[in-house]
Amino acid sequence: SQDVTCPGGANSGTIIFNNPTGGTAPYRFSVNNQGFINNMEITNLSAGTYAVLMQDDKGCEKTFEEVIINNPPEVTVNLGADMDITIGQTVELKATANRLVTYEWFTTDSLSCLDCATVSARPFSNATYSVIVTDETTGCSAEDEIAIAVLKARKLFVPNTFSPNGDGINDQLNLFGGQEINRVLRFEIYSRDGARVYKKDNFTLSNGIGWDGEYNGQQLSTDVFIYFAEIEYIDKVTEIFRGDFTLIR
C-alpha cells in the first residue's frame, strides 16, 4: 500500500497488487467488498483499514490480511496568541512550523516580508495576518492566523508652566506625545488679550521645536498664555488641542 500524501487528504492512498501467481489468470481484485476490478492498482483511497480479496478467472478467491493506509505526520504552524498593541507600535510575528516548509503570508496590511518565517508588522488599525506553510517534500500545507487589535491612544502633553530664564531647565515650552503622533500641523500661542505671540507649522515632536518666551525679540513677562495645536497622527487622523499655561520669570 501507499499512504495518503497529506494528513486527512482524501483519495490519495493506493493499494498495489504485485506479481499474482496461482489459479487461472486473469485476476480481479476487491477492497471492502466494493466489487471486483481488473486493475492491479486500486487508487483514490483514504487513510484506513481495508479488507482485500483476490479472485481468479474460475472464481477461486484468496483473502489477504487487512491492508492499512496511514496518514503521514501532520504539518503544523503556530503564530501564537492574538495581541493588543498601541498605534504606531511595530510587532514581530513568528510562524513556528514542525518541519522544513515554505511560507506565504496573507494580509490587507503591509508586512516586512511575505515569504519569511519571521516578519514585522506595524498596523494602524485592527488587522488579521495569516500564513500558509507548505512542506517542501510532500506539498502538504497548514495554516494559522493571528488577530492584532490596535489601541488608538491619542494623547498630547503640554506643560502647565515653563521658565525661560536660561538655566537650562524647562527653558522652552515643548509639546510631548507618543509614537502615534506623526507631526504637528499648527502650533500657536496667544496672550490673554488675543495677540498671537508664536506660530510654527508642520514639524515633528522629535525636532525639539518649542517657544522660548520671546515675542518680536522681547522677553515676555510672567503671565498666562493660551495655546492651540493641531496634531496629525500616523493614520492621518487629525485632532485639535487647546489649553493654557503660565510663563514664569
mmCIF file of all heavy atoms in Angstrom, residues 61-100:
data_model
loop_
_atom_site.group_PDB
_atom_site.id
_atom_site.type_symbol
_atom_site.label_atom_id
_atom_site.label_comp_id
_atom_site.label_asym_id
_atom_site.label_seq_id
_atom_site.Cartn_x
_atom_site.Cartn_y
_atom_site.Cartn_z
ATOM 1 N N GLU A 61 -10.933 -17.736 -4.898
ATOM 2 C CA GLU A 61 -10.633 -16.489 -4.187
ATOM 3 C C GLU A 61 -9.568 -16.691 -3.123
ATOM 4 O O GLU A 61 -9.404 -17.779 -2.593
ATOM 5 C CB GLU A 61 -11.904 -15.933 -3.528
ATOM 6 C CG GLU A 61 -12.971 -15.548 -4.532
ATOM 7 C CD GLU A 61 -14.206 -14.957 -3.875
ATOM 8 O OE1 GLU A 61 -14.302 -15.046 -2.621
ATOM 9 O OE2 GLU A 61 -15.065 -14.408 -4.583
ATOM 10 N N LYS A 62 -8.868 -15.609 -2.847
ATOM 11 C CA LYS A 62 -7.901 -15.581 -1.756
ATOM 12 C C LYS A 62 -8.131 -14.295 -0.966
ATOM 13 O O LYS A 62 -8.201 -13.197 -1.542
ATOM 14 C CB LYS A 62 -6.467 -15.612 -2.270
ATOM 15 C CG LYS A 62 -5.413 -15.461 -1.159
ATOM 16 C CD LYS A 62 -4.008 -15.562 -1.690
ATOM 17 C CE LYS A 62 -2.975 -15.306 -0.597
ATOM 18 N NZ LYS A 62 -3.119 -16.242 0.559
ATOM 19 N N THR A 63 -8.233 -14.438 0.340
ATOM 20 C CA THR A 63 -8.394 -13.271 1.220
ATOM 21 C C THR A 63 -7.044 -12.909 1.819
ATOM 22 O O THR A 63 -6.343 -13.775 2.362
ATOM 23 C CB THR A 63 -9.394 -13.581 2.341
ATOM 24 O OG1 THR A 63 -10.661 -13.909 1.759
ATOM 25 C CG2 THR A 63 -9.559 -12.366 3.236
ATOM 26 N N PHE A 64 -6.674 -11.668 1.737
ATOM 27 C CA PHE A 64 -5.408 -11.184 2.285
ATOM 28 C C PHE A 64 -5.625 -10.620 3.694
ATOM 29 O O PHE A 64 -6.750 -10.324 4.100
ATOM 30 C CB PHE A 64 -4.823 -10.073 1.398
ATOM 31 C CG PHE A 64 -4.419 -10.556 0.032
ATOM 32 C CD1 PHE A 64 -5.350 -10.618 -0.997
ATOM 33 C CD2 PHE A 64 -3.115 -10.962 -0.225
ATOM 34 C CE1 PHE A 64 -4.985 -11.066 -2.257
ATOM 35 C CE2 PHE A 64 -2.742 -11.396 -1.481
ATOM 36 C CZ PHE A 64 -3.683 -11.458 -2.503
ATOM 37 N N GLU A 65 -4.506 -10.485 4.401
ATOM 38 C CA GLU A 65 -4.597 -9.758 5.656
ATOM 39 C C GLU A 65 -5.030 -8.319 5.379
ATOM 40 O O GLU A 65 -4.824 -7.788 4.288
ATOM 41 C CB GLU A 65 -3.235 -9.756 6.367
ATOM 42 C CG GLU A 65 -2.777 -11.129 6.819
ATOM 43 C CD GLU A 65 -1.457 -11.060 7.561
ATOM 44 O OE1 GLU A 65 -0.930 -9.926 7.733
ATOM 45 O OE2 GLU A 65 -0.954 -12.108 7.962
ATOM 46 N N GLU A 66 -5.644 -7.714 6.365
ATOM 47 C CA GLU A 66 -6.086 -6.342 6.174
ATOM 48 C C GLU A 66 -4.913 -5.437 5.816
ATOM 49 O O GLU A 66 -3.805 -5.570 6.347
ATOM 50 C CB GLU A 66 -6.759 -5.821 7.448
ATOM 51 C CG GLU A 66 -8.108 -6.487 7.718
ATOM 52 C CD GLU A 66 -8.770 -5.925 8.960
ATOM 53 O OE1 GLU A 66 -8.026 -5.480 9.862
ATOM 54 O OE2 GLU A 66 -10.009 -5.929 9.027
ATOM 55 N N VAL A 67 -5.182 -4.520 4.898
ATOM 56 C CA VAL A 67 -4.168 -3.573 4.454
ATOM 57 C C VAL A 67 -4.458 -2.216 5.087
ATOM 58 O O VAL A 67 -5.603 -1.744 5.054
ATOM 59 C CB VAL A 67 -4.163 -3.451 2.913
ATOM 60 C CG1 VAL A 67 -3.161 -2.380 2.465
ATOM 61 C CG2 VAL A 67 -3.825 -4.801 2.296
ATOM 62 N N ILE A 68 -3.437 -1.604 5.655
ATOM 63 C CA ILE A 68 -3.606 -0.313 6.329
ATOM 64 C C ILE A 68 -2.971 0.794 5.494
ATOM 65 O O ILE A 68 -1.813 0.680 5.082
ATOM 66 C CB ILE A 68 -2.980 -0.334 7.733
ATOM 67 C CG1 ILE A 68 -3.679 -1.389 8.597
ATOM 68 C CG2 ILE A 68 -3.071 1.038 8.387
ATOM 69 C CD1 ILE A 68 -3.053 -1.561 9.963
ATOM 70 N N ILE A 69 -3.751 1.815 5.251
ATOM 71 C CA ILE A 69 -3.248 3.033 4.617
ATOM 72 C C ILE A 69 -3.201 4.114 5.689
ATOM 73 O O ILE A 69 -4.222 4.409 6.327
ATOM 74 C CB ILE A 69 -4.131 3.467 3.436
ATOM 75 C CG1 ILE A 69 -4.051 2.421 2.328
ATOM 76 C CG2 ILE A 69 -3.704 4.835 2.910
ATOM 77 C CD1 ILE A 69 -4.916 2.748 1.121
ATOM 78 N N ASN A 70 -2.033 4.662 5.898
ATOM 79 C CA ASN A 70 -1.812 5.589 7.014
ATOM 80 C C ASN A 70 -1.876 7.049 6.580
ATOM 81 O O ASN A 70 -1.649 7.392 5.415
ATOM 82 C CB ASN A 70 -0.435 5.333 7.635
ATOM 83 C CG ASN A 70 -0.312 3.944 8.208
ATOM 84 O OD1 ASN A 70 -1.036 3.585 9.132
ATOM 85 N ND2 ASN A 70 0.603 3.149 7.657
ATOM 86 N N ASN A 71 -2.157 7.884 7.579
ATOM 87 C CA ASN A 71 -1.943 9.315 7.438
ATOM 88 C C ASN A 71 -0.498 9.633 7.769
ATOM 89 O O ASN A 71 0.032 9.127 8.766
ATOM 90 C CB ASN A 71 -2.838 10.106 8.404
ATOM 91 C CG ASN A 71 -4.178 10.452 7.800
ATOM 92 O OD1 ASN A 71 -4.257 10.874 6.660
ATOM 93 N ND2 ASN A 71 -5.242 10.283 8.573
ATOM 94 N N PRO A 72 0.191 10.457 7.001
ATOM 95 C CA PRO A 72 1.549 10.860 7.379
ATOM 96 C C PRO A 72 1.498 11.842 8.542
ATOM 97 O O PRO A 72 0.429 12.355 8.885
ATOM 98 C CB PRO A 72 2.074 11.527 6.098
ATOM 99 C CG PRO A 72 0.845 12.070 5.449
ATOM 100 C CD PRO A 72 -0.254 11.089 5.753
ATOM 101 N N PRO A 73 2.650 12.137 9.157
ATOM 102 C CA PRO A 73 2.664 13.137 10.232
ATOM 103 C C PRO A 73 2.113 14.470 9.740
ATOM 104 O O PRO A 73 2.380 14.901 8.613
ATOM 105 C CB PRO A 73 4.153 13.245 10.594
ATOM 106 C CG PRO A 73 4.739 11.944 10.169
ATOM 107 C CD PRO A 73 3.982 11.536 8.939
ATOM 108 N N GLU A 74 1.375 15.116 10.592
ATOM 109 C CA GLU A 74 0.702 16.361 10.217
ATOM 110 C C GLU A 74 1.684 17.524 10.155
ATOM 111 O O GLU A 74 2.608 17.629 10.960
ATOM 112 C CB GLU A 74 -0.400 16.674 11.235
ATOM 113 C CG GLU A 74 -1.244 17.877 10.879
ATOM 114 C CD GLU A 74 -2.352 18.099 11.889
ATOM 115 O OE1 GLU A 74 -2.334 17.409 12.930
ATOM 116 O OE2 GLU A 74 -3.215 18.951 11.633
ATOM 117 N N VAL A 75 1.484 18.388 9.176
ATOM 118 C CA VAL A 75 2.214 19.651 9.124
ATOM 119 C C VAL A 75 1.492 20.644 10.026
ATOM 120 O O VAL A 75 0.259 20.786 9.947
ATOM 121 C CB VAL A 75 2.275 20.208 7.692
ATOM 122 C CG1 VAL A 75 3.061 21.515 7.653
ATOM 123 C CG2 VAL A 75 2.893 19.189 6.757
ATOM 124 N N THR A 76 2.230 21.329 10.883
ATOM 125 C CA THR A 76 1.603 22.309 11.776
ATOM 126 C C THR A 76 2.362 23.628 11.718
ATOM 127 O O THR A 76 3.560 23.672 11.427
ATOM 128 C CB THR A 76 1.589 21.813 13.235
ATOM 129 O OG1 THR A 76 2.929 21.665 13.708
ATOM 130 C CG2 THR A 76 0.859 20.486 13.364
ATOM 131 N N VAL A 77 1.640 24.709 12.020
ATOM 132 C CA VAL A 77 2.241 26.031 12.132
ATOM 133 C C VAL A 77 1.482 26.798 13.194
ATOM 134 O O VAL A 77 0.261 26.641 13.343
ATOM 135 C CB VAL A 77 2.214 26.785 10.780
ATOM 136 C CG1 VAL A 77 0.794 26.993 10.283
ATOM 137 C CG2 VAL A 77 2.957 28.109 10.886
ATOM 138 N N ASN A 78 2.190 27.616 13.946
ATOM 139 C CA ASN A 78 1.570 28.356 15.044
ATOM 140 C C ASN A 78 2.101 29.793 15.044
ATOM 141 O O ASN A 78 3.306 30.033 15.048
ATOM 142 C CB ASN A 78 1.900 27.680 16.376
ATOM 143 C CG ASN A 78 1.201 28.338 17.550
ATOM 144 O OD1 ASN A 78 0.258 29.113 17.379
ATOM 145 N ND2 ASN A 78 1.653 28.040 18.746
ATOM 146 N N LEU A 79 1.166 30.742 15.053
ATOM 147 C CA LEU A 79 1.522 32.162 15.107
ATOM 148 C C LEU A 79 1.406 32.740 16.509
ATOM 149 O O LEU A 79 1.680 33.927 16.709
ATOM 150 C CB LEU A 79 0.628 32.967 14.148
ATOM 151 C CG LEU A 79 0.896 32.786 12.658
ATOM 152 C CD1 LEU A 79 -0.096 33.609 11.840
ATOM 153 C CD2 LEU A 79 2.317 33.185 12.321
ATOM 154 N N GLY A 80 0.992 31.944 17.468
ATOM 155 C CA GLY A 80 0.850 32.449 18.826
ATOM 156 C C GLY A 80 -0.518 33.056 19.061
ATOM 157 O O GLY A 80 -1.411 33.028 18.204
ATOM 158 N N ALA A 81 -0.683 33.634 20.243
ATOM 159 C CA ALA A 81 -1.978 34.179 20.654
ATOM 160 C C ALA A 81 -2.214 35.550 20.015
ATOM 161 O O ALA A 81 -1.272 36.273 19.666
ATOM 162 C CB ALA A 81 -2.031 34.298 22.172
ATOM 163 N N ASP A 82 -3.496 35.900 19.861
ATOM 164 C CA ASP A 82 -3.853 37.240 19.418
ATOM 165 C C ASP A 82 -3.280 38.269 20.392
ATOM 166 O O ASP A 82 -3.014 37.964 21.559
ATOM 167 C CB ASP A 82 -5.374 37.386 19.339
ATOM 168 C CG ASP A 82 -5.997 36.467 18.287
ATOM 169 O OD1 ASP A 82 -5.252 35.975 17.422
ATOM 170 O OD2 ASP A 82 -7.213 36.241 18.354
ATOM 171 N N MET A 83 -3.102 39.499 19.916
ATOM 172 C CA MET A 83 -2.465 40.505 20.773
ATOM 173 C C MET A 83 -3.064 41.885 20.578
ATOM 174 O O MET A 83 -3.729 42.157 19.565
ATOM 175 C CB MET A 83 -0.957 40.554 20.495
ATOM 176 C CG MET A 83 -0.584 41.030 19.108
ATOM 177 S SD MET A 83 1.225 41.135 18.869
ATOM 178 C CE MET A 83 1.662 39.408 18.784
ATOM 179 N N ASP A 84 -2.839 42.742 21.580
ATOM 180 C CA ASP A 84 -3.213 44.155 21.525
ATOM 181 C C ASP A 84 -1.938 44.986 21.475
ATOM 182 O O ASP A 84 -0.976 44.701 22.187
ATOM 183 C CB ASP A 84 -4.022 44.562 22.766
ATOM 184 C CG ASP A 84 -5.348 43.833 22.866
ATOM 185 O OD1 ASP A 84 -5.808 43.291 21.845
ATOM 186 O OD2 ASP A 84 -5.921 43.790 23.970
ATOM 187 N N ILE A 85 -1.950 46.010 20.629
ATOM 188 C CA ILE A 85 -0.818 46.928 20.562
ATOM 189 C C ILE A 85 -1.352 48.352 20.524
ATOM 190 O O ILE A 85 -2.544 48.578 20.292
ATOM 191 C CB ILE A 85 0.070 46.672 19.333
ATOM 192 C CG1 ILE A 85 -0.711 46.992 18.043
ATOM 193 C CG2 ILE A 85 0.593 45.252 19.309
ATOM 194 C CD1 ILE A 85 0.146 46.965 16.796
ATOM 195 N N THR A 86 -0.474 49.322 20.748
ATOM 196 C CA THR A 86 -0.857 50.721 20.594
ATOM 197 C C THR A 86 -0.490 51.170 19.189
ATOM 198 O O THR A 86 0.457 50.658 18.574
ATOM 199 C CB THR A 86 -0.140 51.600 21.625
ATOM 200 O OG1 THR A 86 1.272 51.428 21.477
ATOM 201 C CG2 THR A 86 -0.555 51.204 23.033
ATOM 202 N N ILE A 87 -1.240 52.118 18.671
ATOM 203 C CA ILE A 87 -0.998 52.592 17.314
ATOM 204 C C ILE A 87 0.421 53.145 17.203
ATOM 205 O O ILE A 87 0.905 53.839 18.090
ATOM 206 C CB ILE A 87 -2.048 53.653 16.925
ATOM 207 C CG1 ILE A 87 -1.918 53.995 15.437
ATOM 208 C CG2 ILE A 87 -1.962 54.883 17.792
ATOM 209 C CD1 ILE A 87 -3.057 54.823 14.903
ATOM 210 N N GLY A 88 1.093 52.777 16.123
ATOM 211 C CA GLY A 88 2.473 53.162 15.920
ATOM 212 C C GLY A 88 3.473 52.121 16.357
ATOM 213 O O GLY A 88 4.662 52.205 16.028
ATOM 214 N N GLN A 89 3.029 51.111 17.081
ATOM 215 C CA GLN A 89 3.924 50.077 17.580
ATOM 216 C C GLN A 89 4.223 49.048 16.484
ATOM 217 O O GLN A 89 3.332 48.645 15.740
ATOM 218 C CB GLN A 89 3.299 49.382 18.789
ATOM 219 C CG GLN A 89 4.158 48.284 19.417
ATOM 220 C CD GLN A 89 3.487 47.633 20.616
ATOM 221 O OE1 GLN A 89 2.476 48.133 21.129
ATOM 222 N NE2 GLN A 89 4.033 46.519 21.068
ATOM 223 N N THR A 90 5.473 48.624 16.399
ATOM 224 C CA THR A 90 5.880 47.573 15.470
ATOM 225 C C THR A 90 6.003 46.261 16.232
ATOM 226 O O THR A 90 6.593 46.212 17.307
ATOM 227 C CB THR A 90 7.223 47.914 14.808
ATOM 228 O OG1 THR A 90 7.083 49.126 14.057
ATOM 229 C CG2 THR A 90 7.657 46.803 13.858
ATOM 230 N N VAL A 91 5.422 45.206 15.689
ATOM 231 C CA VAL A 91 5.463 43.901 16.345
ATOM 232 C C VAL A 91 6.109 42.882 15.417
ATOM 233 O O VAL A 91 6.074 43.011 14.192
ATOM 234 C CB VAL A 91 4.055 43.418 16.758
ATOM 235 C CG1 VAL A 91 3.482 44.311 17.831
ATOM 236 C CG2 VAL A 91 3.130 43.353 15.556
ATOM 237 N N GLU A 92 6.695 41.858 16.026
ATOM 238 C CA GLU A 92 7.299 40.761 15.279
ATOM 239 C C GLU A 92 6.365 39.558 15.320
ATOM 240 O O GLU A 92 5.914 39.149 16.381
ATOM 241 C CB GLU A 92 8.654 40.401 15.884
ATOM 242 C CG GLU A 92 9.411 39.319 15.124
ATOM 243 C CD GLU A 92 10.751 39.009 15.744
ATOM 244 O OE1 GLU A 92 10.810 38.121 16.624
ATOM 245 O OE2 GLU A 92 11.745 39.671 15.361
ATOM 246 N N LEU A 93 6.081 38.991 14.147
ATOM 247 C CA LEU A 93 5.238 37.807 14.035
ATOM 248 C C LEU A 93 6.112 36.649 13.570
ATOM 249 O O LEU A 93 6.811 36.751 12.549
ATOM 250 C CB LEU A 93 4.104 38.046 13.036
ATOM 251 C CG LEU A 93 3.221 39.265 13.280
ATOM 252 C CD1 LEU A 93 2.162 39.383 12.181
ATOM 253 C CD2 LEU A 93 2.559 39.204 14.646
ATOM 254 N N LYS A 94 6.070 35.550 14.325
ATOM 255 C CA LYS A 94 6.909 34.400 14.014
ATOM 256 C C LYS A 94 6.052 33.169 13.770
ATOM 257 O O LYS A 94 5.248 32.779 14.622
ATOM 258 C CB LYS A 94 7.889 34.130 15.154
ATOM 259 C CG LYS A 94 8.859 32.985 14.858
ATOM 260 C CD LYS A 94 9.861 32.819 15.976
ATOM 261 C CE LYS A 94 10.861 31.708 15.667
ATOM 262 N NZ LYS A 94 11.843 31.530 16.758
ATOM 263 N N ALA A 95 6.211 32.574 12.597
ATOM 264 C CA ALA A 95 5.497 31.343 12.257
ATOM 265 C C ALA A 95 6.376 30.154 12.636
ATOM 266 O O ALA A 95 7.460 29.968 12.071
ATOM 267 C CB ALA A 95 5.168 31.315 10.767
ATOM 268 N N THR A 96 5.920 29.357 13.587
ATOM 269 C CA THR A 96 6.686 28.202 14.057
ATOM 270 C C THR A 96 6.098 26.933 13.451
ATOM 271 O O THR A 96 4.965 26.547 13.763
ATOM 272 C CB THR A 96 6.648 28.117 15.593
ATOM 273 O OG1 THR A 96 7.163 29.338 16.149
ATOM 274 C CG2 THR A 96 7.493 26.955 16.081
ATOM 275 N N ALA A 97 6.858 26.289 12.560
ATOM 276 C CA ALA A 97 6.404 25.066 11.886
ATOM 277 C C ALA A 97 7.175 23.869 12.435
ATOM 278 O O ALA A 97 8.253 24.008 13.022
ATOM 279 C CB ALA A 97 6.600 25.186 10.378
ATOM 280 N N ASN A 98 6.609 22.682 12.218
ATOM 281 C CA ASN A 98 7.218 21.465 12.775
ATOM 282 C C ASN A 98 8.117 20.732 11.784
ATOM 283 O O ASN A 98 8.580 19.633 12.059
ATOM 284 C CB ASN A 98 6.132 20.517 13.289
ATOM 285 C CG ASN A 98 5.251 19.968 12.172
ATOM 286 O OD1 ASN A 98 5.154 20.579 11.102
ATOM 287 N ND2 ASN A 98 4.606 18.838 12.411
ATOM 288 N N ARG A 99 8.337 21.331 10.630
ATOM 289 C CA ARG A 99 9.243 20.723 9.657
ATOM 290 C C ARG A 99 9.700 21.772 8.661
ATOM 291 O O ARG A 99 9.309 22.938 8.768
ATOM 292 C CB ARG A 99 8.564 19.556 8.930
ATOM 293 C CG ARG A 99 7.361 19.955 8.086
ATOM 294 C CD ARG A 99 6.713 18.761 7.437
ATOM 295 N NE ARG A 99 6.083 17.901 8.432
ATOM 296 C CZ ARG A 99 5.438 16.791 8.138
ATOM 297 N NH1 ARG A 99 5.378 16.375 6.884
ATOM 298 N NH2 ARG A 99 4.861 16.065 9.070
ATOM 299 N N LEU A 100 10.540 21.376 7.716
ATOM 300 C CA LEU A 100 11.065 22.309 6.730
ATOM 301 C C LEU A 100 9.950 22.691 5.760
ATOM 302 O O LEU A 100 9.398 21.822 5.074
ATOM 303 C CB LEU A 100 12.235 21.677 5.978
ATOM 304 C CG LEU A 100 12.986 22.594 5.001
ATOM 305 C CD1 LEU A 100 13.628 23.755 5.741
ATOM 306 C CD2 LEU A 100 14.036 21.792 4.231
#
